[in-house]
Amino acid sequence: MSPPTLTDRLSSRWSEPGGLREVWLVAYPLIISTSLWSVLMLVDRMFLFWYDKSAMAAALPAGMLHWTSLGFFFGTAGYVNSFVAQYHGAKRPDRISAIVAQGGWFSIASIPFFLAMIPLAPLVFAASMEPNPADPLEARKVYEAEVVYFQTLAWGGGAMVLATAVSSFFTGLGKTALVMWVNVLVVGVNIALDYFLIFGVNGWFAWGAAGAGVATSVSHWFKAFVLIGLLFLPMDGVRYPWLSNWKPDRALFMRLLRYGAPSGLQFFIEGLALSVIVLLIGLAGPTALAATTMAFNVNAIAFIPMIGISIAVSTLVGQNLGENKPEIAARATWNSLIWAVAITLVFAFGYLVFPDLFMIGHKFGADPEDFAEVRDLTVILLRFVALFCLFDALNIVLIGALKGAGDTKFILLAAVVMTVGGMAGGLIGGAFVGTSIYWWWWFLTLWILVQCVVHFLRFLGGKWRTMRVIESEFLPSEDGGEKPVLAPVADGPARLEEDDLPASAAP
């Protein structure tokens, strides 16, 4: 028998279970969905740049801090996706509706936290008036825009968490195209509201940064209610028992926290570190902060689609581990990495060769002098982006695979060690170089590279293959009876834990 040809190998990699085709079919609607949100952020900050340079300079630190406040809740609610995927692989639709309900209760519990952040905003952003003593009026404008933008975003924080939990039902099942169309609708509504509420119409509204925040919050609530309505549609002929499983389930809620909370804390810790870096960059002045904002906006075009691939690989890893097929889960991860690298290389090339193409939207409608000053610095920063975006893409996909299996405690531990150690080194180095924007961009690049290496080594170690987040079916015990176990694993029964026992079996 002749060895397989290159064509045969490529065909097999494309069509086999967990192959490039299967990954793409799950990932491309999520890539489009997340890309739409990157377009929305780009348009949102572009409108603010047209409105006032100070408003756009304020959008990044205020938006980053809002994202940081969301991190724990967003990461925990989003972990419903891994539960749904594994329950789907294990063919347990009753548990799917129950875990989504627990994600909903968790989301509702987060709302008071975001409301409590509103009166704290002036205190949090008070330091932003210090960076530019030569132009205190400009510093005051940035501060006021930061406060109002953060406060108006906070009204929609709970809605974003709720929408994340509910959309995890559809992504966990692999119904990613439905999520894509919902996002198309919601982003369209958000952009229309953005223009109306930032610039106003016939003298009405023209709220600037406040208008951008209100538009985003309203859109999040709109998305949450649309997704909740879609829950009651049958999926593949199955009607999920929402009405019988809507009540809080303490054991399942705690299971969600056990695996989801480390994921949420990882989001929070890394988001907090990034927010601190942005605020430190702001010490170099409004131009440095505006250029960093523009560079982050452009990077989002490549970064946010990687979140879509990460969700896709979490889904495929979870579904295949739920079916006890770790080899297919591994194959899906490798093929997800191939897609991530291919897409990111295109953007990295564009950042280096055609940087102005990515800034054309910011240029249109902006003050020519303001834009020219910010543009020259942004071109330099995009060289950093081209360097680290490839490592960032690999890191995001690898974290998605590990989370799909349930390896969230390691991800949290790695985040704590790398963030605390990294920030300590960054602050020590910053003390010697002063308020240098380039120092912090070099630090950011090295930080992402180290994260990528650590998570790649963890994936190669293979411990994730024997992990599960869901309760198992009963497996035979040594005495011929049945006993509950934590999860079915490839290499033998998993460790027994008391809180995994049903009430009838608990001692």
Side-chain angles (χ1 to χ4, degrees):
M1 183 177 179
S2 60
T5 64
L6 176 61
T7 302
D8 293 334
R9 289 196 294 269
L10 290 175
S11 177
S12 175
R13 178 169 286 277
W14 175 260
S15 59
E16 64 189 349
L20 288 167
R21 180 179 182 276
E22 183 179 6
V23 169
W24 181 250
L25 290 176
V26 176
Y28 88 84
L30 293 170
I31 293 173
I32 293 173
S33 294
T34 51
S35 297
L36 286 171
W37 288 104
S38 69
V39 170
L40 175 60
M41 285 192 293
L42 187 68
V43 171
D44 188 61
R45 291 169 184 172
M46 183 177 69
F47 283 170
L48 289 174
F49 191 50
W50 296 355
Y51 181 82
D52 186 81
K53 185 178 79 170
S54 300
M56 194 193 80
L60 182 60
M64 288 298 302
L65 191 60
H66 173 67
W67 177 253
T68 300
S69 71
L70 275 167
F72 171 73
F73 300 100
F74 177 83
T76 304
Y79 205 74
V80 170
N81 177 83
S82 294
F83 276 89
V84 171
Q86 291 197 22
Y87 281 131
H88 181 64
K91 298 177 175 56
R92 296 289 300 273
D94 57 316
R95 302 304 288 166
I96 290 176
S97 56
I99 191 62
V100 174
Q102 305 319 303
W105 286 114
F106 175 82
S107 304
I108 292 170
S110 74
I111 294 175
F113 170 82
F114 297 110
L115 299 182
M117 295 292 292
I118 293 174
L120 297 177
L123 179 62
V124 171
F125 291 103
S128 66
M129 289 191 289
E130 299 176 4
N132 193 17
D135 190 354
L137 180 60
E138 178 72 14
R140 181 74 188 184
K141 286 172 64 179
V142 172
Y143 162 74
E144 291 175 349
E146 286 173 337
V147 170
V148 73
Y149 188 54
F150 180 83
Q151 288 176 326
T152 49
L153 286 174
W155 288 103
M160 184 175 182
V161 177
L162 180 59
T164 299
V166 178
S167 67
S168 293
F169 165 72
F170 301 103
T171 57
L173 294 180
K175 304 297 180 183
T176 52
L178 182 60
V179 175
M180 177 188 72
W181 289 113
V182 170
N183 281 323
V184 169
L185 173 64
V186 173
V187 167
V189 170
N190 199 334
I191 290 176
L193 288 173
D194 258 339
Y195 192 87
F196 179 71
L197 295 177
I198 291 174
F199 300 105
V201 176
N202 297 325
W204 292 86
F205 301 103
W207 291 344
V214 170
T216 300
S217 291
V218 170
S219 299
H220 284 320
W221 282 109
F222 176 68
K223 179 180 179 180
F225 286 119
V226 169
L227 287 169
I228 289 171
L230 293 174
L231 285 178
F232 294 91
L233 296 177
M235 293 290 138
D236 293 329
V238 177
R239 285 194 177 274
Y240 290 82
W242 303 111
L243 296 180
S244 61
N245 280 330
W246 68 272
K247 295 180 180 180
D249 181 328
R250 180 183 177 278
L252 191 55
F253 187 86
M254 296 306 295
R255 180 176 284 274
L256 173 61
L257 289 183
R258 184 198 306 173
Y259 292 100
S263 175
L265 287 171
Q266 175 244 340
F267 269 103
F268 172 76
I269 290 168
E270 293 182 353
L272 180 61
L274 198 55
S275 296
V276 170
I277 291 171
V278 169
L279 290 172
L280 290 169
I281 288 173
L283 296 175
T287 299
L289 188 55
T292 296
T293 302
M294 193 178 295
F296 271 60
N297 287 352
V298 173
N299 178 51
I301 300 173
F303 166 78
I304 299 247
M306 296 305 105
I307 297 177
I309 298 181
S310 178
I311 298 171
V313 73
S314 286
T315 298
L316 291 170
V317 167
Q319 289 181 351
N320 283 292
L321 290 183
E323 291 188 69
N324 219 12
K325 298 177 179 178
E327 291 303 322
I328 298 179
R331 187 185 305 146
T333 303
W334 286 112
N335 287 318
S336 297
L337 290 170
I338 290 173
W339 281 118
V341 170
I343 294 170
T344 306
L345 283 175
V346 173
F347 286 108
F349 177 79
Y351 295 154
L352 291 172
V353 181
F354 308 110
D356 288 300
L357 179 64
F358 294 93
M359 293 184 283
I360 193 169
H362 291 83
K363 181 179 181 180
F364 179 75
D367 180 88
E369 291 186 9
D370 285 346
F371 177 77
E373 183 180 14
V374 174
R375 177 263 175 202
D376 292 341
L377 181 54
T378 304
V379 169
I380 298 173
L381 298 185
L382 286 179
R383 296 169 189 166
F384 287 94
V385 173
L387 178 61
F388 73 61
C389 68
L390 178 62
F391 301 114
D392 205 16
L394 295 173
N395 187 49
I396 292 168
V397 174
L398 289 166
I399 288 176
L402 295 174
K403 285 185 176 181
D407 200 8
T408 55
K409 290 181 180 178
F410 173 82
I411 291 171
L412 173 60
L413 178 62
V416 171
V417 172
M418 288 186 288
T419 301
V420 173
M423 286 302 297
L427 290 170
I428 292 171
F432 288 97
V433 300
T435 56
S436 169
I437 183 175
Y438 301 117
W439 163 256
W440 287 109
W441 275 87
W442 273 116
F443 168 79
L444 187 62
T445 303
L446 180 61
W447 185 40
I448 292 172
L449 171 61
V450 172
Q451 287 185 3
C452 177
V453 171
V454 168
H455 292 122
F456 187 67
L457 292 175
R458 179 66 172 184
F459 176 76
L460 290 179
K463 187 175 181 180
W464 61 272
R465 293 170 179 257
T466 62
M467 294 181 177
R468 308 293 186 273
V469 302
I470 64 174
E471 312 92 333
S472 78
E473 298 291 345
F474 290 111
L475 295 181
S477 65
E478 294 179 0
D479 60 4
E482 293 184 44
K483 66 177 181 181
V485 296
L486 175 63
V489 296
D491 301 321
R495 175 171 53 89
L496 179 65
E497 292 189 2
E498 180 177 326
D499 58 0
D500 290 313
L501 300 176
S504 61

